[in-house]
Amino acid sequence: MLRRIRSQFLPPDATLFVALATVWGLSFVAIEAGLAHVPPLFFAALRYALAGVLVLAYAAVTTDRLRPRGRTEWLNVAVVGGFLVGAYHALLYLGQLSVPGPVAAVVVSLSPVLTAAFAAVLLDDSLDAVAVGGFLLGLVGVAVVADFDLGGLLTADVLGIGLLFVAAAAFALGSVLSTPLRTTLADVSMQAWAMLVGAAALFAGSIARGESVATVEWTTTAVAALAYLTLFSGVLGFLIYFALHERVGPAESNLVSYFQPIVAALAGWALLGQTVTETTVLGFLGIFAGFLLVKHEIVRERLGVGGVHFAPRNPMLTFSCRVIERGRGLTFERDVASEDLYGSTTSGFGHDAD
């Protein structure tokens, strides 16, 4: 594989990965803190309206084309804005009204698994028996997190987890629908417009839900939560993701979904005094195991199984570390084989941007 140093000043891949997991993992706690003072859909709408303006300004300075052109590009903006920003965050914020941030992070980590399932149905990206088993295991993991009990089917926690599950499904569906719509428009430009479209949809949902701006309590906590979600999660987080996406590809970037719950759990414990139950941990392990089965071909590739020339001395450690440290600051010119791997239809927008 040809290798070329793109820049000596960008931080190593591991730094980007850890930074992104931290920024997005803390978002779940910030959302929970802000929801105590601001109505959910209005909160999400305001956050993405502000973030969209800032990212659009950044795109105007850094890209050669700011505005989408043609039906396909505007349709892509509508899909990403409607599903990945609007629907996902509406359901996420509503779900977190009754579900703690760390638990919410675990449930939405199912999104990459659901993305593979939707791709199999809509893009003919077929799943083999192992991948199907992984998908089912991921669903079992969510049921474990929900502590599913028919007698308590209508409890607030179960309904909240149901909303979070649908949020993950909306994100996954939007990821798959946007895949054939990708063009030469820079990701940062597309994402800026999608944020603004999603914000408009969220404002409309807020009005339809009867949320009143007069009920907003602009406490120090609410302002801090909004500032964090706008500047760090909404702007800095996406810029880090784009950098990581370019350096290691979407398949490996998506692993950030499985580090977010850890950060959310630690932050919830340190800042809000929350504890994570054993069933939540068990459910998370089930979801992560399901992801490994769904992506078993990529896992085998990374572990050096099945004819791969490079066999690491410590496969499990290398798999977990290599995907985030690959190249140690280098950017690769990917060959055809790696393009097939990174260009998987199941991972186009398969991150959980919170």
Side-chain angles (χ1 to χ4, degrees):
M1 180 185 297
L2 297 177
R3 303 182 178 185
R4 178 183 299 172
I5 298 178
R6 178 75 58 83
S7 171
Q8 296 179 351
F9 302 101
L10 289 176
D13 300 342
T15 303
L16 290 174
F17 190 95
V18 171
L20 184 60
T22 302
V23 168
W24 278 350
L26 289 173
S27 298
F28 291 95
V29 178
I31 291 171
E32 184 175 355
L35 286 175
H37 308 281
V38 188
L41 299 191
F42 178 76
F43 190 22
L46 185 59
R47 165 199 174 179
Y48 273 102
L50 295 173
V53 170
L54 293 174
V55 175
L56 191 65
Y58 177 83
V61 175
T62 60
T63 63
D64 56 359
R65 184 159 66 90
L66 178 65
R67 196 174 73 87
R69 290 197 299 254
R71 180 178 179 181
T72 299
E73 289 186 349
W74 280 111
L75 182 57
N76 191 28
V77 167
V79 169
V80 175
F83 284 90
L84 277 69
V85 178
Y88 170 71
H89 286 91
L91 294 163
L92 173 66
Y93 280 54
L94 289 171
Q96 280 203 238
L97 287 173
S98 59
V99 176
V103 178
V106 169
V107 176
V108 299
S109 69
L110 183 66
S111 181
V113 178
L114 294 174
T115 301
F118 280 124
V121 175
L122 300 177
L123 301 181
D124 197 25
D125 191 5
S126 60
L127 297 177
D128 57 22
V130 174
V132 171
F135 170 71
L136 296 176
L137 182 58
L139 295 182
V140 171
V142 172
V144 171
V145 172
D147 197 12
F148 189 76
D149 178 10
L150 290 177
L153 188 60
L154 297 180
T155 62
D157 286 354
V158 173
L159 291 176
I161 287 176
L163 289 173
L164 293 169
F165 175 82
V166 179
F171 196 98
L173 179 59
S175 300
V176 173
L177 293 177
S178 70
T179 298
L181 301 176
R182 300 298 299 277
T183 67
T184 58
L185 180 67
D187 282 341
V188 66
S189 297
M190 187 281 301
Q191 193 66 48
W193 287 104
M195 286 180 176
L196 295 175
V197 168
L202 288 164
F203 275 125
S206 176
I207 294 172
R209 193 169 177 266
E211 297 179 351
S212 174
V213 179
T215 64
V216 176
E217 301 174 357
W218 288 118
T219 63
T220 302
T221 299
V223 173
L226 178 61
Y228 179 85
L229 291 169
T230 299
L231 298 176
F232 288 89
S233 181
V235 177
L236 180 62
F238 274 104
L239 296 181
I240 293 174
Y241 175 78
F242 292 141
L244 188 64
H245 185 282
E246 180 182 357
R247 295 162 72 88
V248 302
E252 294 177 350
S253 301
N254 289 345
L255 289 176
V256 75
S257 300
Y258 299 99
F259 286 81
Q260 289 173 195
I262 299 172
V263 175
L266 292 174
W269 168 74
L271 300 176
L272 304 177
Q274 297 173 337
T275 58
V276 177
T277 66
E278 294 178 355
T279 55
T280 299
V281 175
L282 183 60
F284 169 72
L285 293 176
I287 293 172
F288 183 61
F291 169 82
L292 294 179
L293 292 176
V294 168
K295 296 289 187 179
H296 67 94
E297 292 183 355
I298 294 177
V299 172
R300 290 178 61 197
E301 185 81 13
R302 289 292 175 267
L303 294 179
V305 177
V308 179
H309 297 296
F310 174 72
R313 286 175 294 180
N314 189 339
M316 290 306 296
L317 178 61
T318 303
F319 174 70
S320 62
C321 297
R322 186 175 175 82
V323 294
I324 63 176
E325 295 182 331
R326 185 174 180 219
R328 297 188 181 277
L330 303 180
T331 297
F332 299 114
E333 275 191 359
R334 294 190 287 264
D335 58 15
V336 174
S338 63
E339 286 293 348
D340 289 341
L341 174 63
Y342 291 141
S344 170
T345 56
T346 65
S347 51
F349 278 92
H351 61 282
D352 291 326
D354 308 309

